[in-house]
Amino acid sequence: MSVLATATPAGATPVSVRPDRPWRRAWLTGLATWAVAYVTYLAINATFWMVRDEDPVPLREFFNVWNRWDTGHYEYIASNGYDLSTANPAFFPLYPMLMRALDPVLPGQMLAASLIIASIACIAALAVFTRLAEDLFDVSTGQRTALYLIASPFGFYLVAGYNESLFVALCVASMYCMRKGYWWYAGAFGAFASATRYFGAALALAFVIEYLRQRDWDLRRLWWDALAVLLVPAGLIAYMVYSARTFGNPLEFAELQQSNWGHRFSAPWTSIIESVKLTDTWWHDAPFHTWFVLNVLDLGAVPVILALLVLSLVGPWKLGDQAWYLVAFGIAAFGSVLISPVFSFGLPPLHGLPRYALEMVPLYLVLARMGQHRAFERAYLFPTIGLQSALLLAYFSHIFIS
């Protein structure tokens, strides 16, 4: 007999205990976090014209300031398909495919489709990330994880017309399924992730580590569901097959990234050394120029990310062996940026690193654990939210910040 039943007076109606509904809580957390952030972005959007000292645009053009950089490529792909003359085969297909599929039933032009899909994916990413963090640790850590992710300096990319939120949502969903042992679902989400961005294929590494950990690293305990790992690169392989048949080159996306965006493989320390040299040069030639500031942000992200990855493995906020697969994915994501820096157009070599940090899951788990101390929470949130607001204004101003 339960404690509750023994405490109920004879003849009285037993008091029912409301069952825990973790997924309902996680979705509400994701929705509320997105809503508060989005209202803030809309306020910045509305005051942008005042900051620029320009005449305000008609309401129908209110969201045009979100039509920046990669968003235009995704819109073109969704409307017209791939075209070598625009170099847009460098962008993977799942996000523009969703835009094309949903545009007929969504209001507005293709920009509206890109923003609505990004917001839906953002809510999903925050909700599933919350649930993953709760399952690993506790409820408060889960809720802080969602907040710290979207409050990071480049967190607004989760609602911009980029594939960022879709990629994060699919990666975290795959990782959650791995933790719960839903291996075929994990593989399927991984396949969609690798159809969104080539790095999604790195989820195979996380899959192998978590699968073996749950079997005490005993290869004799492998089962047929281990084959689900083969699904993870399916999205990447499908796009390579399409590229081979359409453009005659399965790696067309990689070659376009090199020829049009200047990405080329190098030793991981090369990008850091070149960034330091540029910082010194720009400091003497043009201090506080746009590229100088962005280079400092990119370079400053390196020790921060490295420190958080180390803290995910050792120290009072370590994530434990249950999160090794997440840490492995985070390290791989960090390394992939370091070994493929930008060497063209005068851009900082590590350009984009803080945005790609959004997919480095263990960073925000460590921050969320550290955030149980109020002093740290304030020290993190105030500067990151302020910096994000400034960067969003720069983004609206058509400055290529990432």
Side-chain angles (χ1 to χ4, degrees):
M1 186 176 292
S2 68
V3 175
L4 178 60
T6 57
T8 303
T13 302
V15 178
S16 62
V17 178
R18 185 175 181 179
D20 185 32
R21 302 171 66 181
W23 273 110
R24 180 177 184 273
R25 181 176 58 240
W27 280 106
L28 288 175
T29 298
L31 180 61
T33 305
W34 165 85
V36 171
Y38 207 77
V39 168
T40 304
Y41 300 150
L42 290 180
I44 296 173
N45 194 160
T47 57
F48 168 73
W49 310 105
M50 179 180 68
V51 175
R52 288 286 300 270
D53 193 24
E54 296 178 5
D55 292 332
V57 297
L59 186 60
R60 65 179 180 275
E61 299 178 17
F62 181 77
F63 287 96
N64 282 354
V65 292
W66 290 94
N67 195 355
R68 297 290 184 260
W69 308 111
D70 290 2
T71 303
H73 287 287
Y74 290 122
E75 290 180 24
Y76 186 93
I77 295 168
S79 300
N80 306 292
Y82 284 108
D83 182 354
L84 275 178
S85 65
T86 63
N88 62 29
F91 298 88
F92 272 54
L94 184 59
Y95 182 54
M97 286 174 65
L98 290 175
M99 291 167 57
R100 186 181 184 90
L102 296 179
D103 179 61
V105 299
L106 294 176
Q109 303 299 318
M110 195 62 76
L111 174 63
S114 71
L115 295 177
I116 291 172
I117 292 170
S119 279
I120 293 172
C122 177
I123 295 169
L126 295 172
V128 180
F129 205 173
T130 296
R131 186 69 197 96
L132 174 62
E134 285 184 1
D135 200 68
L136 286 166
F137 302 107
D138 52 55
V139 173
S140 61
T141 299
Q143 294 179 341
R144 283 195 302 272
T145 300
L147 173 62
Y148 286 14
L149 174 63
I150 204 165
S152 61
F154 286 73
F156 64 87
Y157 274 104
L158 294 172
V159 302
Y162 276 55
N163 65 5
E164 208 70 42
S165 58
L166 179 63
F167 184 69
V168 173
L170 291 169
C171 287
V172 176
S174 180
M175 292 170 181
Y176 177 80
C177 290
M178 292 176 200
R179 173 164 174 77
K180 305 304 287 187
Y182 306 146
W183 302 111
W184 292 103
Y185 287 111
F189 280 120
F192 286 122
S194 67
T196 305
R197 191 180 294 166
Y198 78 88
F199 186 72
L203 285 166
L205 172 64
F207 186 110
V208 170
I209 293 173
E210 180 61 6
Y211 190 94
L212 291 175
R213 185 193 71 84
Q214 292 187 21
R215 284 153 181 76
D216 299 321
W217 309 98
D218 187 352
L219 295 179
R220 294 171 299 179
R221 296 179 60 187
L222 294 179
W223 195 239
W224 61 274
D225 53 4
L227 293 175
V229 71
L230 299 178
L231 291 176
V232 174
L236 169 61
I237 293 171
Y239 187 51
M240 290 173 66
V241 171
Y242 168 83
S243 295
R245 296 183 62 180
T246 306
F247 309 117
N249 182 3
L251 296 177
E252 187 67 37
F253 64 90
E255 293 190 6
L256 287 172
Q257 282 286 342
Q258 180 176 348
S259 61
N260 287 271
W261 281 269
H263 289 282
R264 70 170 186 262
F265 289 110
S266 63
W269 52 84
T270 301
S271 56
I272 299 174
I273 293 173
E274 292 301 316
S275 292
V276 172
K277 290 180 179 177
L278 279 176
T279 301
D280 181 64
T281 299
W282 283 334
W283 173 252
H284 290 92
D285 295 344
F288 302 111
H289 182 272
T290 298
W291 294 135
F292 171 81
V293 174
L294 292 176
N295 190 58
V296 169
L297 290 175
D298 296 337
L299 192 57
V302 173
V304 172
I305 293 172
L306 185 60
L308 290 172
L309 288 174
V310 171
L311 289 173
S312 70
L313 294 171
V314 297
W317 302 292
K318 65 181 180 181
L319 305 180
D321 61 355
Q322 62 182 348
W324 282 350
Y325 74 115
L326 305 177
V327 177
F329 184 80
I331 292 173
F334 184 39
S336 70
V337 179
L338 294 182
I339 66 174
S340 58
V342 179
F343 290 108
S344 67
F345 308 116
L347 292 172
L350 291 170
H351 197 61
L353 175 59
R355 173 164 68 90
Y356 294 132
L358 293 170
E359 65 206 40
M360 300 178 195
V361 171
L363 306 186
Y364 304 98
L365 291 172
V366 173
L367 288 169
R369 300 200 71 198
M370 297 171 72
Q372 62 185 315
H373 301 290
R374 291 287 183 169
F376 173 82
E377 185 165 70
R378 295 187 182 95
Y380 174 80
L381 290 178
F382 281 115
T384 56
I385 292 174
L387 181 56
Q388 184 184 132
S389 300
L391 290 171
L392 183 56
L393 284 172
Y395 178 83
F396 287 162
S397 300
H398 228 282
I399 295 174
F400 188 34
I401 66 171
S402 182

